[in-house]
Amino acid sequence: MSDTDGKKPLGLGGPRSGQVKQSFSHGRTHAVVVETKRKRVLVPNPAKPGAPAGGGGSGASHLGDPSKRPAGISDAEMERRLAALRAAKAREQEDNARRAEEERQREEDRQRRREEIEAKEREERQREAALRAKAEEEERLKREAEEEAKAKAAARKADVLGTQRRQPAAPAAEPAPVAVPGDRGAGQSRPRPGAAPAAAGGEADRSGGGPKPGLTPRKTDREREDRATDRGAKRGEDVRRAGKLTLSAATGEDGGRQRSLAAMKRKQEKARQKAMGFSKPEKQARDVQLPETIVVSELANRMAERAADVVKSLMKMGMLVTMNQPIDADTAELVIEEFGHRAVRVTDADVEQAIDSVEDKAEDLITRPPVVTIMGHVDHGKTSLLDAIRKANVVSGEAGGITQHIGAYQVKTPKGDLVTFLDTPGHAAFTSMRARGAQVTDIVVLVVAADDAVMPQTIEAINHAKAAKVPMIVAINKVDKHGADPQKVRTDLLQHEVIVEAMSGEVQDVEVSAKTGFGIDALLEAIGLQAELLDLKANPNRAARGAVIEAKLDVGRGPVATVLVQNGTLKKGDIFVVGEKWGKVRALVNDKGETITEAGPSVPVEVLGLDGTPSAGDVLDVVSSEAQAREIADYRISAAKDKRAAAGAATTLEQLMAKAKADKEVAELAVIVKGDVQGSTEAILQALEKVGNAEVRVRVLHSGVGAITDSDVGLAEASGVPILAFNVRANATARSAASQKGVEIRYYSIIYDLLDDITKAASGLLKAEVRENFIGYAKVLQVFRITGVGNVAGCLVTEGVARRSAGVRLLRDNVVIHEGTLKTLKRHKDEVKEVQSGTECGMAFERYEDIRENDVIEIFEREEVQRSL
Ligand code: GDP
């Protein structure tokens, strides 16, 4: 707007100007002329090339008048010039018209866009305003009532205000009578001269918080303007205009007030953001695919939320995790719900639905050979027995010659039935396969040497077989030996709840000699009998399912797996998935080294055509297509990765107890107990029996004396139970195996503590747990006798650190001999606080002297951990 005040508008253009009425406070108004800026148009002047064309219009008339013609110009020249000028003029008019048209279109466009934005904004504002208006209205009513009384006194003073339409109200709530473009139409009265200050003063008097009477009217105006903004929005009126005062807007109104520059800027910025789609999008509820474990960042990704927010929400739940840490599905589900999404659990079952899991009909089933594993103590003759059975069978005149070693073989019983033997003796293989989910064995043959009777591994084997709920046959071996006492074996077994037939029990016992071959047929017969009792059936006419017994990478043939078919028939060309690998059967080789085209139930075969080497115990499933096989294998790979990542979280005693309780049918908590001596172990076992209550019972799966071994960890993993260690430690390999497989080993040195823990877990009372952290181990290299001090051990710290303040235990052969504190910790001649791994030091125990060479000193610290279920 230019304040031209009656002056003629400048410039060449046509009538592109208009009147705008300004209104000021005190009711003064003032009409001003506005114009829009226009570009200057250059018109070429042929007479004076390069001369400014500003005077083009007047120049033409000037040249057309002969009297004013410059001297020395001919008529023809004059004509030419005039023609050029006319043409230029015409062009100029055309240009002007076109520009005007363009300008109009642009203006229309802008107007349309503005309206669209405004409409959107209005809607939103209306919604907000409706809410706010309601709240304000309530507030107003309340305040009105309060101020009514006060107002009476003030009303006399400000009598003028009596004429006002509205009752006094809170300044913020009262819509001030302000002229805003478009307001007038709504029937609002314009501010009267002199009324504004008076009104402001009156309000201030009544509310005590409004502008003071002394304030300049200008300030009051601005305030009212702000209020008007709110009010306008409330009514959803079209009060928003672009920052520029346009001609149409200006001429359409006879007056108007502009907003503050800041308000304008804010509004423009808002509109811009809206137009560009920056506005806050509607929250979208998503279906979040949730596997068994998920890394926090991936969870955030799947919810389309910020990882930091997810971490924050986990923190609120009391879980301190970083975004690269995996969390379990249950926790993740809580998070997902908190963010307002839906969790969709995906499990193996979902991806692996492709695997045919139809129940076989009774009429499709046929009898299948039993699968036998031989177990027993070392040197009791397992291998010899397997060899003897195989040899006896080969000698008995079957075609095919010498049996191949493929991890399993089939033999015929004297009655003509087939029996499949797994060629990997010992319970280690048995347990590791079970841990992988392959319950392959139907019958366990427990080999006990008649000259040695029951030994620790015999007991382990019994416990493993019992844990797997597999029937046993006892083979009393080495009966040919001088001094063999089969009867002793039978009575020894009674102690371990294995009552053989000869002792009027149910477990078959056969006297054999692997060396002479005595009793082999009787053993096979016993197996046949047991198999009949078990009534083992399978359906050969379906997609095969089997278990890997052995797998290796063969130089010439690539990955080869010995698979024991458990159901269905495996054929050449079948596509299968086995554990995390998949393949297409290229060839099948049986235990006699013959290439076959198909293998039915209980038949062990070598399978060629895998994409990698699977692990023993992996389950093989035939699927219908390569894509399916690949998909399942991929899923298993990622699932295994997730599981490994989350392996740190071992199944704890509490979790097991909770599980046991939730499972109404198997309300029992299985544990493995290892103790330092027979006496304490017995005591623990007896006490544990009494711990059970109505809901939960404690079952000891296996117990023993001495260090925790690999085999214990294997059994714990396969059966998903914790190991309770009383004054014993896991040996190095067992320790690493336990942490890898997530097996919980709980160490105790007081029987009461052990029982207390189990009782507490059983009754669900879990208090803060004092957990011991082993911070280091030291080995005693030499023991010195120092007068006045006593025995000092010269040690080498082998693991972690030795700390003066920490607790110590003296271990001899992984059994705790003494527990206490250190009297001294010396490095060379100095007393030190800490000694790092790899360095030598001197240690002496407080009030304990019996230290020997090769003892191990365990250094531990206690920490209190709040438990949760
Ligand atoms: P494994 O460790 O259980 O597999 O036992 P082996 O099969 O390796 O046998 C251990 C030792 O016992 C070997 O020296 C065999 O020769 C011997 N042995 C095995 N069975 C018999 C048997 O029936 N009679 C005799 N006298 N010795 C046997």
Side-chain angles (χ1 to χ4, degrees):
M1 198 190 292
S2 67
D3 201 20
T4 47
D5 234 342
K7 275 178 231 154
K8 278 248 164 94
L10 297 172
L12 304 161
R16 296 192 61 83
S17 60
Q19 287 252 314
V20 173
K21 197 166 176 187
Q22 286 183 310
S23 43
F24 299 98
S25 52
H26 306 290
R28 200 156 52 80
T29 58
H30 181 45
V32 290
V33 178
V34 292
E35 59 149 345
T36 49
K37 269 188 192 160
R38 292 191 46 204
K39 239 166 113 185
R40 277 159 51 116
V41 181
L42 289 165
V43 178
N45 191 345
K48 280 197 241 165
S58 56
S61 55
H62 157 74
L63 285 172
D65 185 356
S67 60
K68 289 180 183 169
R69 185 191 300 172
I73 288 179
S74 66
D75 276 358
E77 176 65 18
M78 194 64 211
E79 269 303 304
R80 211 168 46 75
R81 286 186 182 187
L82 275 175
L85 267 175
R86 255 178 253 119
K89 197 152 186 191
R91 241 189 344 264
E92 189 201 359
Q93 270 165 0
E94 248 171 57
D95 276 359
N96 283 347
R98 202 177 56 241
R99 260 196 295 279
E101 176 67 12
E102 279 170 6
E103 179 76 8
R104 197 177 55 75
Q105 271 179 3
R106 264 201 298 279
E107 182 56 37
E108 271 174 14
D109 269 6
R110 269 199 293 275
Q111 188 67 26
R112 206 172 47 243
R113 270 201 299 276
R114 261 200 303 276
E115 272 164 14
E116 277 170 16
I117 293 166
E118 278 164 11
K120 262 196 225 155
E121 216 168 63
R122 219 166 24 238
E123 252 174 48
E124 197 147 291
R125 285 234 156 204
Q126 260 170 354
R127 229 181 359 217
E128 279 172 25
L131 286 172
R132 206 165 4 158
K134 212 173 142 198
E136 274 172 9
E137 182 64 17
E138 280 168 11
E139 173 106 330
R140 192 178 62 79
L141 284 172
K142 214 168 79 188
R143 216 179 283 184
E144 248 177 29
E146 273 175 24
E147 288 174 1
E148 191 88 27
K150 271 199 231 161
K152 268 180 198 158
R156 270 196 301 278
K157 258 197 312 186
D159 208 20
V160 239
L161 294 175
T163 54
Q164 282 196 333
R165 276 181 304 108
R166 297 183 56 86
Q167 284 293 311
E174 187 199 11
V178 176
V180 177
D183 264 6
R184 202 98 34 87
Q188 295 271 330
S189 63
R190 280 177 54 71
R192 210 141 292 166
E203 276 168 25
D205 278 350
R206 280 187 297 277
S207 66
K212 295 277 173 297
L215 285 177
T216 58
R218 215 170 147 53
K219 192 151 187 188
T220 315
D221 273 355
R222 199 176 307 146
E223 232 172 29
R224 278 200 288 197
E225 211 168 59
D226 284 351
R227 269 182 268 151
T229 315
D230 278 349
R231 190 161 41 96
K234 256 181 261 165
R235 290 195 306 267
E237 279 175 0
D238 187 6
V239 293
R240 308 210 156 251
R241 287 283 178 271
K244 238 196 274 174
L245 179 61
T246 61
L247 187 63
S248 60
T251 49
E253 304 282 340
D254 63 346
R257 204 173 260 122
Q258 294 214 346
R259 292 148 184 259
S260 78
L261 198 63
M264 205 78 81
K265 273 186 180 160
R266 275 198 300 274
K267 194 194 69 185
Q268 273 180 335
E269 179 65 14
K270 232 187 209 167
R272 194 175 62 82
Q273 291 208 343
K274 265 206 161 154
M276 290 177 71
F278 284 158
S279 55
K280 235 186 176 176
E282 281 269 300
K283 175 109 180 160
Q284 233 184 344
R286 292 166 204 275
D287 285 338
V288 181
Q289 301 249 316
L290 182 58
E292 276 152 32
T293 59
I294 188 165
V295 174
V296 174
S297 57
E298 174 60 22
L299 176 66
N301 214 354
R302 289 186 189 186
M303 293 194 293
E305 303 283 355
R306 285 175 353 125
D309 291 343
V310 177
V311 171
K312 212 192 281 171
S313 117
L314 279 163
M315 246 179 230
K316 279 191 208 143
M317 293 180 194
M319 272 186 79
L320 286 175
V321 288
T322 67
M323 44 183 130
N324 298 319
Q325 264 174 305
I327 55 170
D328 62 287
D330 291 335
T331 315
E333 192 166 347
L334 287 178
V335 175
I336 291 168
E337 275 167 18
E338 191 163 311
F339 279 91
H341 302 295
R342 288 176 297 271
V344 181
R345 294 265 189 144
V346 284
T347 58
D348 273 4
D350 290 341
V351 188
E352 299 185 5
Q353 266 167 359
I355 294 169
D356 194 8
S357 57
V358 189
E359 278 291 307
D360 293 310
K361 283 192 226 113
E363 62 262 30
D364 296 335
L365 295 172
I366 57 150
T367 305
R368 67 171 175 87
V371 179
V372 180
T373 299
I374 294 188
M375 298 209 269
H377 193 70
V378 67
D379 275 355
H380 278 200
K382 298 182 292 287
T383 321
S384 312
L385 193 62
L386 274 165
D387 283 346
I389 294 166
R390 188 163 27 185
K391 221 183 297 160
N393 214 253
V394 174
V395 173
S396 66
E398 278 288 311
I402 298 158
T403 343
Q404 282 250 128
H405 179 88
I406 65 164
Y409 58 86
Q410 279 195 312
V411 295
K412 263 202 178 118
T413 66
K415 274 170 79 183
D417 299 328
L418 282 169
V419 178
T420 306
F421 280 93
L422 293 188
D423 210 358
T424 39
H427 52 252
F430 173 81
T431 314
S432 77
M433 288 195 40
R434 201 159 73 81
R436 289 177 175 277
Q439 176 95 358
V440 183
T441 309
D442 300 311
I443 299 166
V444 165
V445 169
L446 180 69
V447 179
V448 191
D451 61 340
D452 204 13
V454 174
M455 295 301 282
Q457 280 181 300
T458 318
I459 301 165
E460 270 185 25
I462 294 169
N463 289 331
H464 283 236
K466 278 188 180 164
K469 298 192 173 77
V470 175
M472 257 185 300
I473 294 172
V474 178
I476 303 169
N477 194 23
K478 305 195 188 179
V479 287
D480 62 296
K481 253 188 153 176
H482 193 70
D485 186 359
Q487 203 52 34
K488 185 175 181 291
V489 173
R490 294 190 181 101
T491 39
D492 269 11
L493 284 172
L494 280 180
Q495 284 182 10
H496 303 281
E497 289 160 38
V498 179
I499 310 157
V500 296
E501 279 180 341
M503 309 292 268
S504 56
E506 285 185 349
V507 179
Q508 297 189 74
D509 60 312
V510 188
E511 289 183 18
V512 293
S513 167
K515 201 171 178 184
T516 63
F518 167 81
I520 300 288
D521 281 353
L523 179 63
L524 290 177
E525 251 175 66
I527 291 168
L529 198 67
Q530 185 67 54
E532 261 176 53
L533 280 174
L534 289 172
D535 192 24
L536 303 162
K537 294 250 159 89
N539 174 13
N541 300 313
R542 59 172 288 168
R545 160 170 272 227
V548 176
I549 294 162
E550 265 186 10
K552 60 182 180 216
L553 191 64
D554 196 295
V555 178
R557 302 183 294 172
V560 180
T562 301
V563 173
L564 181 78
V565 180
Q566 291 177 294
N567 202 3
T569 302
L570 185 62
K571 302 186 188 84
K572 198 178 160 186
D574 275 349
I575 292 157
F576 59 86
V577 50
V578 52
E580 293 159 29
K581 307 284 184 289
W582 68 279
K584 185 174 182 179
V585 179
R586 205 170 65 219
L588 294 171
V589 181
N590 72 4
D591 54 347
K592 297 181 184 70
E594 301 155 347
T595 304
I596 51 175
T597 52
E598 56 177 50
S602 292
V603 175
V605 274
E606 272 192 333
V607 176
L608 278 72
L610 290 134
D611 78 330
T613 317
S615 310
D618 279 347
V619 176
L620 175 144
D621 279 295
V622 169
V623 293
S624 54
S625 75
E626 216 172 282
Q628 253 175 16
R630 206 173 274 152
E631 190 192 3
I632 296 169
D634 282 351
Y635 176 78
R636 285 179 180 172
I637 290 169
S638 67
K641 213 161 86 191
D642 290 350
K643 204 175 161 193
R644 271 198 292 276
T651 6
T652 61
L653 191 58
E654 289 80 36
Q655 285 168 353
L656 283 169
M657 189 51 85
K659 203 171 86 190
K661 275 187 185 165
D663 191 350
K664 286 271 170 337
E665 298 205 344
V666 201
E668 65 174 20
L669 171 76
V671 292
I672 291 171
V673 178
K674 290 300 286 255
D676 53 349
V677 288
Q678 193 62 38
S680 58
T681 315
E682 290 282 307
I684 291 166
L685 294 186
Q686 278 169 15
L688 280 179
E689 258 172 44
K690 292 184 203 128
V691 162
N693 55 20
E695 291 170 65
V696 190
R697 182 155 49 83
V698 177
R699 185 162 75 96
V700 179
L701 211 59
H702 173 63
S703 68
V705 175
I708 296 160
T709 60
D710 261 0
S711 158
D712 297 324
V713 174
L715 180 61
E717 190 208 0
S719 314
V721 303
I723 299 172
L724 309 177
F726 179 74
N727 273 344
V728 288
R729 296 290 173 268
N731 62 31
T733 50
R735 203 160 50 213
S736 68
S739 66
Q740 229 172 49
K741 293 170 179 169
V743 169
E744 191 192 22
I745 303 178
R746 295 172 81 97
Y747 297 99
Y748 297 94
S749 39
I750 301 169
I751 293 188
Y752 172 77
D753 282 348
L754 186 153
L755 296 175
D756 199 39
D757 262 13
I758 300 285
T759 320
K760 290 265 167 60
S763 51
L765 286 167
L766 297 159
K767 58 168 190 187
E769 174 192 27
V770 177
R771 184 169 288 171
E772 281 178 9
N773 289 333
F774 298 146
I775 58 170
Y777 284 94
K779 196 175 169 193
V780 179
L781 303 176
Q782 213 179 340
V783 182
F784 307 95
R785 173 99 210 143
I786 297 170
T787 357
V789 181
N791 278 352
V792 174
C795 312
L796 171 72
V797 180
T798 51
E799 257 181 71
V801 292
R803 218 166 269 158
R804 169 83 174 76
S805 55
V808 281
R809 283 197 193 92
L810 190 65
L811 311 180
R812 200 164 292 157
D813 299 325
N814 280 319
V815 171
V816 180
I817 306 289
H818 169 76
E819 181 182 328
T821 49
L822 284 180
K823 190 155 64 180
T824 54
L825 178 63
K826 277 195 151 72
R827 175 104 185 90
H828 301 302
K829 288 226 156 63
D830 312 319
E831 187 70 30
V832 289
K833 279 193 176 151
E834 203 175 276
V835 178
Q836 293 293 331
S837 146
T839 37
E840 290 185 359
C841 63
M843 288 194 218
F845 286 84
E846 197 82 68
R847 286 192 293 278
Y848 189 80
E849 298 294 314
D850 180 22
I851 311 171
R852 292 183 206 165
E853 249 173 60
N854 288 328
D855 280 355
V856 171
I857 296 171
E858 178 182 271
I859 304 115
F860 64 93
E861 276 178 345
R862 288 205 171 96
E863 154 191 50
E864 199 160 280
V865 184
Q866 194 62 47
R867 289 192 236 171
S868 59
L869 269 181

